[in-house]
Amino acid sequence: MKNIALKSIFYLVGIVVIAFGISLTIKADLGAGAWDALNVGLTESFGLTVGNWVIIIGALLIVSNALIAKERPDVLAVITILILGKVIDFWLLGVLNTVTFSTFWEQLVILLSGIVAIAIGVALYLQSKFSLNPVDGFMVALQKRFGFSLTLSKTLTEAFALVGALILGGPIGFGTLVILIGIGPAIQYFDTKAQWAMNKLLS
């Protein structure tokens, strides 16, 4: 029981922190991550909130991932996208709605803070071993179906979102490159810390 409760806490806190980090990278206005830029582009082109597009795109990916991997849809991933989408809207439309950053250095600090927050959030939510974010599931589905390495699969999924964001006029820029380069090492760094914390609390 303690095990499940602790994993649930890591999962929920992780998603809230991921949503906060995503919101910071968007508000920094230097260029968001490919998938986040796609969601912003969809919002600007068709309306609805960024969080709602996170949910819609996530639902489409759950279905497509199942088709690609020839497996049953990961229905539990719906919980992940619902929480993530709603919390992103909470940060963007609520807490950070009127916040702006006027200088490049302020924007850069916010962007880097967002990357760190996303990395911490991902590291926490991964410890739960619950359903993957459908974007990560997309990467795994390609790897399973076509035998690609995870690196190639991740590159392909990011390229897919990047092209979509560019077509829709999403915020692609300097920050997108910084996120692409920095997010992997940052997640790796915090993952070891999160594993240690999880094991310490379970012992």
Side-chain angles (χ1 to χ4, degrees):
M1 192 66 183
K2 177 185 176 183
N3 190 13
I4 295 296
L6 187 60
K7 285 185 175 183
S8 297
I9 291 170
F10 270 61
Y11 169 78
L12 290 171
V13 171
I15 290 178
V16 170
V17 175
I18 290 169
F20 179 59
I22 288 171
S23 302
L24 287 180
T25 61
I26 292 171
K27 292 294 289 188
D29 201 26
L30 290 175
W35 287 97
D36 303 318
L38 174 61
N39 291 322
V40 173
L42 286 165
T43 294
E44 293 176 348
S45 298
F46 302 106
L48 301 181
T49 65
V50 173
N52 281 331
W53 282 113
V54 168
I55 295 168
I56 292 168
I57 295 298
L60 292 173
L61 284 175
I62 289 171
V63 175
S64 63
N65 293 347
L67 293 172
I68 293 169
K70 295 184 177 179
E71 297 175 348
R72 291 182 177 179
D74 184 5
V75 179
L76 291 177
V78 172
I79 298 172
T80 302
I81 58 173
L82 283 173
I83 298 172
L84 184 61
K86 293 303 180 184
V87 178
I88 285 174
D89 280 348
F90 165 76
W91 289 118
L92 283 178
L93 302 178
V95 179
L96 300 173
N97 187 33
T98 58
V99 177
T100 57
F101 306 99
S102 55
T103 70
F104 170 77
W105 295 110
E106 287 177 342
Q107 291 172 290
L108 183 60
V109 168
I110 294 304
L111 175 70
L112 295 176
S113 299
I115 292 172
V116 170
I118 292 170
I120 292 172
V122 170
L124 289 172
Y125 115 95
L126 286 178
Q127 305 312 312
S128 70
K129 303 293 192 294
F130 291 169
S131 293
L132 288 174
N133 181 326
V135 170
D136 297 325
F138 188 18
M139 171 187 68
V140 173
L142 291 177
Q143 191 253 348
K144 286 181 178 178
R145 177 68 181 272
F146 302 109
F148 297 153
S149 68
L150 285 177
T151 300
L152 176 57
S153 296
K154 181 64 172 175
T155 301
L156 289 173
T157 60
E158 291 296 310
F160 175 82
L162 185 62
V163 170
L166 287 170
I167 291 171
L168 293 166
I172 298 295
F174 162 75
T176 307
L177 182 61
V178 175
I179 293 168
L180 186 64
I181 294 171
I183 196 66
I187 291 171
Q188 186 66 46
Y189 175 79
F190 288 111
D191 185 58
T192 57
K193 311 296 182 187
Q195 282 183 23
W196 178 86
M198 173 70 82
N199 293 332
K200 188 75 172 176
L201 290 168
L202 286 174
S203 61

